[in-house]
Amino acid sequence: MSEYIRNLSIIAHIDHGKSTLADRLMEHTGAVTEREMREQLLDTMDLERERGITIKAQSVRLSHEYQGHDYQINLIDTPGHVDFSYEVSRSLAACDGAVLLVDAAQGAQAQTLANAYLAIEAGLEIVPVINKIDLPSADPAAASAEIAAILGGDPEDVLAVSAKTGQGISELLDRIIERIPKPSGDLDAPLRALVFDSYFDTYRGVVCSIRVVDGRIRKGEQVLFMATGDKHAANELAVSTPRILPVDQLNAGEVGLLITGVKHIDQIRVGDTVTLVSRPASEPLEGYDEPKPMVFSGLFPSDGDDFERLREALEKLQLNDASLIWEPETSRALGFGFRVGFLGLLHMEIVRERLEREYNLDLVSTAPSVAYRVTLTDDSVIEIRSPQDLPHLTSVAQLEEPYVRAMILSPSEYIGTIMDLVQSRRGAMHHMQYLTPDRVELIYELPLAEVVFDFFDHLKSRTRGYASLDYEPTGYRVSDLVKVDILLAGLPVDAFSTITHRAKAVQYGKGMVETLRELIPRQMFDVPIQAAIGGNIISRETVKARRKDVLAKCYGGDISRKRKLLEKQKEGKKRMKMVGAVEVPQEAFVAALRVDTSDR
Amino acid sequence: MVASPPPSIRPDSPELADQAGEWRSAYVHIPFCARICPYCDFAVVEGRQDLVDRYVSALVSEISMSVDWDTLDAVFIGGGTPSQVAPMLIGEILESLNDKFGLVDGVEVSMEANPEDITARSSRGYRAAGVNRLSMGVQSFDDVVLTALGRQHTGGQALRAIEDARSVFERLSIDLMYGDPTETEASWDRTLDSALAAGADHISAYSLTVELGTPLSRAVAAGAPAPDDDVQADRWERAAERLSERLIRYEVSNYATDAPCKYNLATWAQGEYVAFGLGAHGHRNGIRTRNLRRLDRYIETVEAGQRPIAGETVGSGWDRELERLMLGLRRTAGVVAGAAGQKLLEDHPEFVDAGIIEQREGRIVVVKPLLTDTVIREVLAVPPQE
Ligand SMILES: Nc1nc2c(ncn2[C@@H]2O[C@H](COP(=O)(O)OP(=O)(O)OP(=O)(O)O)[C@@H](O)[C@H]2O)c(=O)[nH]1
Ligand SMILES: C[S@@+](CC[C@H](N)C(=O)[O-])C[C@H]1O[C@@H](n2cnc3c(N)ncnc32)[C@H](O)[C@@H]1O
Ligand code: SF4
Ligand SMILES: [Mg+2]
């Protein structure tokens, strides 16, 4: 049967039209009626719709008739943003092929390359497609040439479609059937199914997305999760079309949903292999590499009583976001919270918003930091994920910071300005290669801390939006790092300290002090704000005491109005954090993000 | 000229402050203005002088529809611009108040006026109608500032109007406004000089406030310079220093030689008042009422024989206790602490430590009046005590 199954992901750079293409494929195969259709149907999360980007990979089963046979196509729409490339690699592990989509007006971009390499590494068959050929600015010939250069194929072989008008969609469906190999599993072997995603449903408990590799699973059977050793009944099996349809069994090659009634979240691990208790497989499938968080930030409930709720929320969210890791953290300024690891700043923003929205929490986050490696004088090595964990310098023998290999794709005219930017970020050129005569691929080695924060914004503005960026960690390097402390009214505030390169410390300290001076409202007394390295003050500003805080009049006899106004102002003050005697607004804790340490 | 006040009736005396809570007052609102000033968010209308007669008739009906009460100690005719209404009509209003409630002997009848409307003749008219205290909206004697404020008079006109009014009214108050961005320190000094020399027995000095929804607030939002808090603090201090040469500050923004404005003092003492006219606010039996704020609706409602009440607020016992502190703390005399005040002192030692408030004979006194709202914000959050 698996002869008539095709499993694939759509991969591309951000905004090149993956989700819109998925819309057309669903429409063309009749998975959804015209009435049910809406743009980027698979972007179901509110956040995805508001931002117009895909955050979560989504799978859907389609059926398509080809040469008199009914084919089952399991399609996964993946996100394009660099922060979510872990979603892409997990999706690819459940597939036998991938459609590599390129915007014909923009041409190949960094994540086109990065995702193409992921698919090649996973050994998948790649179907190259250019999209948006309806745009007047589309240059199909150039875009096809670029894809061909990346994949080493023939430009003639690149299919041209418009996910907007539907042009080329039926050819694409045929191409998928012709090119992508049928699943290779063995129906008669013991069951092995890969858990490639999961989420928590209030009624059903944990829902797992699985790809059956070998054997078959029937509703009601006892299953074993090989990594955790947990046994459960397969209470329900289903497929998403994108409506959830119950099925009685899933066979080798198929993709579907497994609901075991598990309510305990820690019993499920994405990347685990499901087998049958009655006839277990001897070897699990190759799982996933643990994702490597790039940045860490403290998340604290605004209301200290919400600490336990935040823990539960993180646990539930982790089911749906396998890349999330955290550990408890205590801050003198902010109380009890968690140090959370993220794949990038967008990921950080999304996680925070999902926690706030989906779990109704109000959170304060602290400035993000990368993880540093510290060798102590007794030769032991520790990793610190928060500047406040840096041991006293007398016991530190050596400090190392993480580096990345950054790939920048850009029109060649911007090479000069990109070089300048990278240099100001302590980067070194690794190599440079022309993809086509006017598009160049630049490879640099850079400290991660110089890349994750505002590097991309600067890159975009210097290249008028034409350059794109991808990066991957390459390991640690010794670096001349210092810790910058920020003192409010003479007291160091743990949540404000930062580790930075010595050459940038003064600039950073000044920037941070200035930013805080703008953000901290005037109080009843002068509030000195200082930046210090070791014991040395490198910068100082003062928020002068408030001098006037009184309304001129009582609005004639309208007493209630004045009262309401003052009460509202008091409410606003409740959202401040008391640091010693100083009222600090919550946004001050991420102020470091606004500090510009690049050359201006 | 006016003699120094005898110590027994100082306008800032605690006895007077507390006694004012017993006075009965009436507030009458006149919404008409020749031109609406860009900073003003009072209930005002421009270019509707055709409606003055109907409006005054409505006022008279509203007064007659009101529930009965005792004789009044003070009447305040405010605006808007009451001097846009002829003396005869003001007389009718006062007469109907007298018919309805009666006015005590020596009743204080204040009326607001704009300088461009005031002559010796009009002054005599208002005096004859029963007004015995005139409050003139001078704002500044500096023509640059007056123009920036969008006022219709000049400094010279204001001086002449004051002179004319003084020949008729023994009690005259001047409203000043400081902190417009065009105003300099020297300009404010000259305004204070002129105000002192004019011989008024009462001066109100308000900091220009950017009220939401006014043309001024829109201009500021669009990038026009806004009044600066620190500059206004300087100006307030300057006013407090200069005006003390002849007057005594008895509230954040108010100064008097001997007699304060009774109606104002009564409001700060949480006293009761009936209120008539567009958008007017009343306070009786623990209930705060507010009138309709749209002119046609107000007139039509009253003409249909209904009271023009738009809504009312009934505060709980504790709410009223906090309100008592909120109002009283604006006065130089401070306020009797009571349970809520005691709790404030316990929970916020920092106010005493920072020298913002002091405790004096069971009273709380704000000694840094510029920070009054810092204190009041915490007052309003004091939880109910048994
Ligand atoms: N003109 C035109 N616009 C298209 C076409 N395909 C997609 N778009 C538009 O391109 C934008 C991005 O489309 P999406 O489908 O959300 O792109 P995506 O690749 O899923 O984006 P991410 O999931 O965020 O990586 C949307 O505004 C689409 O309407 C096309 O063929 N022609
Ligand atoms: C409502 S007015 C009525 C009196 C008269 N129409 C006039 O304008 O002079 C009373 C006083 O309130 C003050 N005032 C009005 N709007 C103000 C504002 N936005 N900020 C500060 N004071 C204001 C002025 O000093 C004015 O004299
Ligand atoms: S300030 Fe006086 S004159 Fe100006 S609009 Fe307001 S009430 Fe009328
Ligand atoms: Mg998408």
Side-chain angles (χ1 to χ4, degrees):
Chain A
M1 281 301 136
S2 72
E3 191 160 337
Y4 301 118
I5 298 177
R6 296 293 180 269
N7 293 322
L8 70 140
S9 294
I10 310 181
I11 55 175
H13 191 74
I14 191 163
D15 270 351
H16 280 201
K18 297 174 287 297
S19 303
T20 311
L21 179 63
D23 289 347
R24 290 297 84 71
L25 292 170
M26 285 187 284
E27 207 170 62
H28 201 87
T29 56
V32 289
T33 61
E34 215 172 291
R35 198 171 47 81
E36 291 165 323
M37 197 62 222
R38 56 172 184 169
E39 277 177 26
Q40 290 99 34
L41 187 83
L42 295 181
D43 289 343
T44 46
M45 243 190 279
D46 285 350
L47 266 175
E48 296 183 307
R49 301 207 69 81
E50 280 164 30
R51 294 179 180 236
I53 57 165
T54 304
I55 294 165
K56 279 296 299 175
Q58 284 282 354
S59 65
V60 60
R61 175 184 288 197
L62 312 174
S63 42
H64 177 60
E65 201 192 297
Y66 177 74
Q67 295 187 344
H69 291 286
D70 256 343
Y71 281 79
Q72 175 194 122
I73 299 178
N74 292 302
L75 176 83
I76 306 181
D77 175 29
T78 66
H81 192 277
V82 58
D83 282 11
F84 306 120
S85 70
Y86 185 58
E87 289 279 316
V88 180
S89 38
R90 279 192 294 106
S91 305
L92 292 176
C95 296
D96 308 296
V99 165
L100 177 64
L101 200 63
V102 174
D103 184 326
Q106 283 193 11
Q109 302 286 321
Q111 276 75 44
T112 312
L113 271 179
N115 290 332
Y117 294 152
L118 283 179
I120 292 168
E121 269 167 43
L124 303 191
E125 180 68 32
I126 297 177
V127 178
V129 177
I130 57 166
N131 184 31
K132 308 198 188 182
I133 54 168
D134 59 291
L135 288 177
S137 55
D139 187 347
S144 304
E146 284 170 12
I147 299 205
I150 295 167
L151 298 177
D154 181 354
E156 290 293 303
D157 196 35
V158 178
L159 203 64
V161 306
S162 165
K164 188 173 174 190
T165 65
Q167 186 186 345
I169 297 302
S170 92
E171 290 85 337
L172 173 57
L173 279 163
D174 291 350
R175 181 76 59 99
I176 285 169
I177 307 260
E178 290 159 5
R179 285 289 174 83
I180 292 177
K182 64 175 187 162
S184 60
D186 179 357
L187 184 60
D188 300 321
L191 171 70
R192 292 202 298 172
L194 176 71
V195 179
F196 66 91
D197 202 355
S198 61
Y199 64 92
F200 190 84
D201 181 293
T202 332
Y203 303 106
R204 296 190 167 102
V206 178
V207 180
C208 299
S209 296
I210 55 169
R211 154 79 193 264
V212 183
V213 175
D214 294 320
R216 65 161 52 100
I217 177 171
R218 291 190 185 85
K219 190 176 156 179
E221 279 178 321
Q222 286 291 316
V223 295
L224 167 71
F225 287 82
M226 294 181 78
T228 59
D230 283 319
K231 292 170 188 166
H232 300 284
N235 287 347
E236 284 177 67
L237 295 173
V239 295
S240 158
T241 70
R243 242 161 301 144
I244 305 294
L245 286 186
V247 295
D248 288 330
Q249 64 177 37
L250 289 169
N251 294 336
E254 289 189 289
V255 169
L257 300 172
L258 163 66
I259 296 137
T260 56
V262 173
K263 297 274 180 191
H264 285 289
I265 300 154
D266 47 359
Q267 292 174 338
I268 300 292
R269 198 170 297 161
V270 166
D272 203 348
T273 301
V274 180
T275 189
L276 289 182
V277 172
S278 58
R279 190 185 163 213
S282 51
E283 284 291 311
L285 298 161
E286 203 180 313
Y288 296 121
D289 293 336
E290 291 273 309
K292 193 101 187 78
M294 299 271 184
V295 287
F296 297 83
S297 149
L299 279 184
F300 296 84
S302 290
D303 177 347
D305 293 344
D306 283 341
F307 175 74
E308 276 307 321
R309 287 217 301 129
L310 174 56
R311 181 200 297 279
E312 274 166 39
L314 280 165
E315 282 169 356
K316 284 187 180 156
L317 187 60
Q318 191 186 35
L319 258 194
N320 195 230
D321 185 348
S323 62
L324 206 57
I325 62 156
W326 69 87
E327 61 205 12
E329 178 178 53
T330 314
S331 152
R332 228 175 339 171
L334 297 169
F336 293 104
F338 296 94
R339 194 79 189 163
V340 186
F342 305 98
L343 300 174
L345 288 197
L346 177 65
H347 185 224
M348 174 173 116
E349 236 178 274
I350 299 286
V351 166
R352 189 194 147 139
E353 282 208 33
R354 286 188 71 181
L355 288 170
E356 293 200 318
R357 290 184 191 203
E358 295 171 25
Y359 303 93
N360 196 21
L361 288 160
D362 188 25
L363 302 174
V364 183
S365 48
T366 60
S369 158
V370 302
Y372 295 94
R373 192 190 275 170
V374 188
T375 309
L376 300 172
T377 41
D378 65 2
D379 285 344
S380 59
V381 177
I382 56 170
E383 191 194 79
I384 59 161
R385 294 167 167 187
S386 165
Q388 66 189 85
D389 294 341
L390 183 66
H392 197 270
L393 287 183
T394 50
S395 55
V396 174
Q398 172 180 287
L399 279 170
E400 291 169 277
E401 70 175 313
Y403 267 67
V404 293
R405 178 180 178 277
M407 178 221 312
I408 297 172
L409 272 198
S410 170
S412 41
E413 56 186 297
Y414 299 114
I415 292 176
T417 178
I418 294 173
M419 296 271 215
D420 287 347
L421 174 65
V422 171
Q423 221 147 55
S424 77
R425 298 304 181 100
R426 301 188 281 134
M429 165 98 101
H430 202 272
H431 83 252
M432 177 167 116
Q433 174 191 334
Y434 281 85
L435 225 51
T436 57
D438 22 81
R439 189 173 295 263
V440 63
E441 178 188 357
L442 300 153
I443 308 287
Y444 294 98
E445 291 277 341
L446 286 146
L448 173 62
E450 299 280 358
V451 177
V452 269
F453 303 127
D454 56 353
F455 183 82
F456 189 51
D457 299 334
H458 285 270
L459 180 66
K460 280 272 176 194
S461 71
R462 280 170 178 250
T463 61
R464 312 209 351 256
Y466 283 116
S468 54
L469 166 76
D470 195 84
Y471 53 87
E472 57 186 20
T474 50
Y476 280 83
R477 287 208 199 163
V478 177
S479 185
D480 188 8
L481 300 168
V482 292
K483 182 171 162 214
V484 181
D485 288 313
I486 303 291
L487 292 78
L488 276 192
L491 291 176
V493 182
D494 51 11
F496 287 151
S497 5
T498 314
I499 293 173
T500 175
H501 192 263
R502 189 178 300 277
K504 304 224 162 159
V506 173
Q507 199 187 350
Y508 178 85
K510 280 208 166 101
M512 186 70 183
V513 163
E514 272 166 34
T515 309
L516 286 176
R517 194 207 43 205
E518 277 161 31
L519 289 177
I520 294 178
R522 298 172 70 171
Q523 329 240 328
M524 281 192 305
F525 38 82
D526 283 358
V527 179
I529 306 170
Q530 295 159 298
I533 300 175
N536 293 331
I537 305 295
I538 53 170
S539 172
R540 182 195 161 103
E541 293 274 353
T542 303
V543 177
K544 298 298 271 173
R546 185 167 49 223
R547 289 190 54 208
K548 174 175 173 282
D549 181 18
V550 65
L551 291 171
K553 313 186 68 168
C554 247
Y555 296 113
D558 190 355
I559 308 301
S560 322
R561 171 164 166 204
K562 169 167 174 170
R563 180 167 183 166
K564 273 191 208 115
L565 183 72
L566 291 172
E567 280 171 345
K568 214 171 112 203
Q569 291 169 346
K570 168 77 185 165
E571 270 309 299
K573 275 174 50 145
K574 278 209 194 122
R575 291 190 42 88
M576 304 257 195
K577 284 278 168 191
M578 291 303 293
V579 178
V582 183
E583 286 170 356
V584 181
Q586 305 197 346
E587 64 265 30
F589 293 95
V590 282
L593 270 185
R594 294 212 225 151
V595 176
D596 189 351
T597 53
S598 67
D599 59 327
R600 273 166 250 210
Chain B
M1 294 296 280
V2 185
S4 273
S8 59
I9 53 155
R10 280 174 63 101
D12 61 350
S13 80
E15 296 74 25
L16 193 62
D18 295 344
Q19 185 199 335
E22 305 299 317
W23 297 334
R24 286 177 296 276
S25 337
Y27 176 80
V28 178
H29 190 77
I30 306 290
F32 305 102
C33 292
R35 283 293 300 275
I36 292 181
C37 309
Y39 53 81
C40 185
D41 82 333
F42 288 84
V44 290
V45 294
E46 173 184 303
R48 299 311 312 271
Q49 261 65 3
D50 55 309
L51 287 176
V52 169
D53 286 340
R54 257 180 88 188
Y55 182 79
V56 171
S57 309
L59 272 178
V60 169
S61 323
E62 191 194 355
I63 292 168
S64 70
M65 277 186 274
S66 163
V67 279
D68 291 335
W69 202 22
D70 264 336
T71 49
L72 303 174
D73 298 286
V75 175
F76 194 97
I77 306 174
T81 313
S83 51
Q84 288 281 304
V85 173
M88 202 182 72
L89 295 177
I90 296 291
E92 280 179 27
I93 298 166
L94 289 171
E95 205 166 302
S96 67
L97 284 173
N98 190 31
D99 291 347
K100 180 75 187 181
F101 308 105
L103 305 173
V104 298
D105 257 5
V107 61
E108 176 181 295
V109 180
S110 302
M111 186 185 99
E112 293 185 320
N114 283 24
E116 61 270 30
D117 299 330
I118 293 302
T119 58
R121 195 169 151 216
S122 67
S123 297
R124 282 194 294 277
Y126 291 121
R127 183 73 192 84
V131 176
N132 54 24
R133 183 175 176 276
L134 202 69
S135 168
M136 194 144 14
V138 172
Q139 322 311 348
S140 171
F141 290 98
D142 181 337
D143 291 346
V144 173
V145 174
L146 286 169
T147 307
L149 289 176
R151 300 289 298 187
Q152 304 303 305
H153 64 272
T154 61
Q157 261 175 302
L159 283 173
R160 251 168 286 139
I162 291 171
E163 209 169 297
D164 287 346
R166 286 262 296 145
S167 66
V168 176
F169 289 99
E170 203 175 318
R171 300 186 60 196
L172 175 71
S173 178
I174 292 175
D175 282 354
L176 300 177
M177 209 156 44
Y178 57 82
D180 177 86
T182 63
E183 174 202 82
T184 60
E185 209 175 281
S187 154
W188 181 232
D189 260 352
R190 282 195 303 274
T191 288
L192 290 171
D193 282 340
S194 305
L196 282 165
D201 72 328
H202 189 281
I203 295 175
S204 303
Y206 301 117
S207 58
L208 171 62
T209 309
V210 180
E211 300 287 356
L212 229 65
T214 58
L216 174 63
S217 135
R218 282 188 290 276
V220 167
D228 178 272
D229 271 0
D230 286 350
V231 169
Q232 291 198 329
D234 287 340
R235 302 282 195 266
W236 182 90
E237 282 171 3
R238 189 69 182 149
E241 183 190 324
R242 295 294 321 279
L243 297 181
S244 303
E245 289 168 17
R246 263 200 51 229
L247 302 96
I248 293 168
R249 191 180 59 76
Y250 67 101
E251 191 258 1
V252 176
S253 314
N254 284 281
Y255 301 77
T257 52
D258 50 0
C261 170
K262 271 195 154 180
Y263 162 73
N264 275 343
L265 212 55
T267 29
W268 296 320
Q270 208 178 23
E272 296 192 308
Y273 44 94
V274 281
F276 306 104
L278 191 67
H281 290 255
H283 176 219
R284 286 216 42 212
N285 303 319
I287 301 169
R288 293 198 175 271
T289 55
R290 56 182 188 281
N291 270 1
L292 295 169
R293 218 181 135 115
R294 258 184 47 204
L295 185 59
D296 47 355
R297 287 251 288 137
Y298 169 82
I299 294 181
E300 284 160 16
T301 305
V302 177
E303 284 179 349
Q306 277 158 10
R307 298 186 61 194
I309 307 279
E312 56 180 45
T313 321
V314 188
S316 72
W318 187 251
D319 278 341
R320 292 191 51 77
E321 181 58 8
L322 299 184
E323 183 189 89
R324 184 182 68 79
L325 289 173
M326 163 180 131
L327 294 167
L329 283 171
R330 291 184 66 88
R331 304 174 302 199
T332 310
V335 67
V336 173
Q342 284 306 333
K343 182 76 180 140
L344 176 82
L345 289 164
E346 280 163 33
D347 292 354
H348 294 280
E350 73 272 17
F351 290 147
V352 176
D353 294 346
I356 297 173
I357 60 178
E358 274 176 20
Q359 223 181 333
R360 283 183 207 155
E361 294 160 15
R363 304 177 79 83
I364 300 178
V365 178
V366 178
V367 283
K368 284 189 181 160
L370 281 173
L371 297 180
T372 304
D373 287 349
T374 308
V375 180
I376 293 181
R377 239 175 253 122
E378 299 306 328
V379 166
L380 294 177
V382 172
Q385 312 286 298
E386 296 82 56

